[in-house]
Structures are given as structure tokens and as C-alpha cells.
Amino acid sequence: MTNNSTEELVAALTAEEENTIRGFYSVFSNRNYDLVDKVLAKNWEDIPLAPGQVDGAEGYKELVKNFSAAFPDITITIHEIFGTHERAGVRAEMSFTHSNAFMGIAPTNKQVTIALHEFHHLKDNKIVKTWHLEDWLTMLIQTGAWPVNA
């Protein structure tokens, strides 16, 4: 009798898929915009669970450029990549110094760390769709903008 565990029935993420995921996040650290075209499909869809959708690979490049200009020390640290072939979840965090106005909050020059929880659908080692939820409430708390005193 064979062991019919889940691990045997579902293919794991390939090394290439994991490298694609790592490349997606490394753009924030290395500002290598050519890498965006290698890891994102031309018709990549960004599906946020909060306002702030980005349109396609060019929109992702603009997002990184805008964040990098506002917060030059921005980095993303991946804590975990999990999933199955063509489906990946990522637990990561984004850190930066709050040195420019953001979300209507004047600069505080405090170090801010925000949890990222994202899910990606990959096809042919490129990301075709991303669902994400950032913990912006944590940023509000870390900058002192929350709770708001009435």
C-alpha cells in the first residue's frame, strides 16, 4: 500500500518558480527594472484586497520607482514562500524610513515595518496574477498616526 499524502499528489513549486517570486520582490532592493520583464507576464494582474491596484508590468515598475524615490532605503524581506506548482504564497515584510509624506501622514523619520501577505499565480515561470494585503494599520501605529485623537 502506498502513502497517499498530499505532498505526493500535488507538485511542489519548482526552483525556477521560487526564483521568479524572489525576483519580483528583489526589484525593490536592487531597482533592476529589466528583471520585471523577466518575472511578470505582459498582462500581469494586480488584485489588491484594499485600494491601490497597479496596472501591468509597467505599472509595477512605476510603483517601485515611486516608492524608491519617496523611501530610498526601502527593502522587502521574504520570510516564507509556500505553495504548489504555479501557486505561491509569500509571507514577507517591507521596511523603510518614513522620510516623506505617505497616506496623508507627514514624515516622521521613524523606521516602519509592514507585513506583506501575497499570493501569486505563475504560468511558464512568470507571475500572471497577484493578490495582496499589506498591513497599513501597523504603519499608522508605528508612525504615531493611530489612534487618532478626536
Side-chain angles (χ1 to χ4, degrees):
M1 190 158 156
T2 62
N3 179 357
N4 289 327
S5 69
T6 303
E7 292 84 20
E8 290 179 343
L9 298 175
V10 180
L13 287 167
T14 66
E16 292 85 6
E17 289 170 332
E18 282 197 34
N19 287 337
T20 296
I21 297 297
R22 290 185 190 289
F24 177 80
Y25 294 99
S26 74
V27 174
F28 275 92
S29 299
N30 64 27
R31 316 303 193 259
N32 179 356
Y33 300 104
D34 293 334
L35 186 56
V36 173
D37 296 323
K38 292 179 183 174
V39 300
L40 290 184
K42 293 282 185 212
N43 60 346
W44 172 70
E45 291 182 68
D46 173 51
I47 304 172
L49 299 177
Q53 182 169 349
V54 176
D55 293 323
E58 292 304 314
Y60 185 69
K61 290 177 190 176
E62 284 301 310
L63 173 76
V64 173
K65 287 176 184 176
N66 291 338
F67 264 81
S68 299
F71 311 108
D73 65 340
I74 193 167
T75 60
I76 294 181
T77 303
I78 297 173
H79 295 295
E80 181 180 22
I81 299 174
F82 55 92
T84 59
H85 178 57
E86 296 187 350
R87 305 275 193 275
V90 177
R91 189 177 59 80
E93 65 185 22
M94 177 171 46
S95 298
F96 57 91
T97 303
H98 183 227
S99 54
N100 274 296
F102 186 60
M103 294 178 60
I105 305 167
T108 61
N109 294 312
K110 293 180 178 180
Q111 184 68 30
V112 175
T113 301
I114 300 166
L116 303 176
H117 299 94
E118 301 187 333
F119 298 91
H120 303 279
H121 176 220
L122 298 100
K123 189 74 176 165
D124 299 324
N125 295 320
K126 289 197 174 198
I127 300 171
V128 295
K129 195 174 289 190
T130 299
W131 295 264
H132 58 92
L133 179 62
E134 293 82 14
D135 184 9
W136 297 117
L137 179 58
T138 297
M139 181 196 169
L140 296 174
I141 293 168
Q142 289 176 35
T143 59
W146 187 270
V148 177
N149 295 321

